[in-house]
Structures are given as structure tokens and as C-alpha cells.
Amino acid sequence: LSPKAYLNRRLNQEAIKLLVGAGALVKEVADQLRFADEYYFSRFFKKLNGVPPARYRQKIFGLG
């Protein structure tokens, strides 16, 4: 596992924790994790998880 891949994995774990546990808005999670904007965060999240953050949250809570 490369250092970049490791950091991306840890960042993704933190993002999931914030999205599911704290129920924070996508913009708030992006800001907290220091992404330039929520759109870049959404692309990052989708690349690693296959779905955008809002859709991921819907799937977790059985809303979609």
C-alpha cells in the first residue's frame, strides 16, 4: 500500500465516520477534512466508495 493510498483510505474512513455518525452535511464534512470544496470531496468519495456521499448515507440508513 503506497503512502498516498494509505492516506486516502484513512481520509475516507474519517469521512464515513462523520457522514454516518455525526450526520453532518456534505459541505461540513468537506470543510472539516480540509477539502477545497464539497464538489472535490464528492468526487474523491465517489471514487473510493462507488457512490456520492449523500447517496452513501441514504444507503446506510435505508432511505434509498
Side-chain angles (χ1 to χ4, degrees):
L1 195 62
S2 73
K4 182 178 179 180
Y6 173 79
L7 290 175
N8 283 344
R9 180 180 286 178
R10 291 289 299 137
L11 194 57
N12 186 55
Q13 290 172 342
E14 189 64 25
I16 290 171
K17 186 170 81 172
L18 291 170
L19 283 168
V20 175
L25 298 172
V26 173
K27 181 177 180 2
E28 293 170 344
V29 173
D31 289 343
Q32 195 165 357
L33 297 177
R34 301 185 191 274
F35 279 85
D37 58 50
E38 66 185 289
Y39 304 107
Y40 180 69
F41 168 68
S42 290
R43 288 192 306 271
F44 167 84
F45 192 91
K46 185 175 180 180
K47 182 178 179 183
L48 294 177
N49 298 292
V51 293
R55 185 71 181 259
Y56 183 89
R57 183 185 290 159
Q58 289 173 345
K59 286 179 135 183
I60 291 296
F61 292 115
L63 303 173

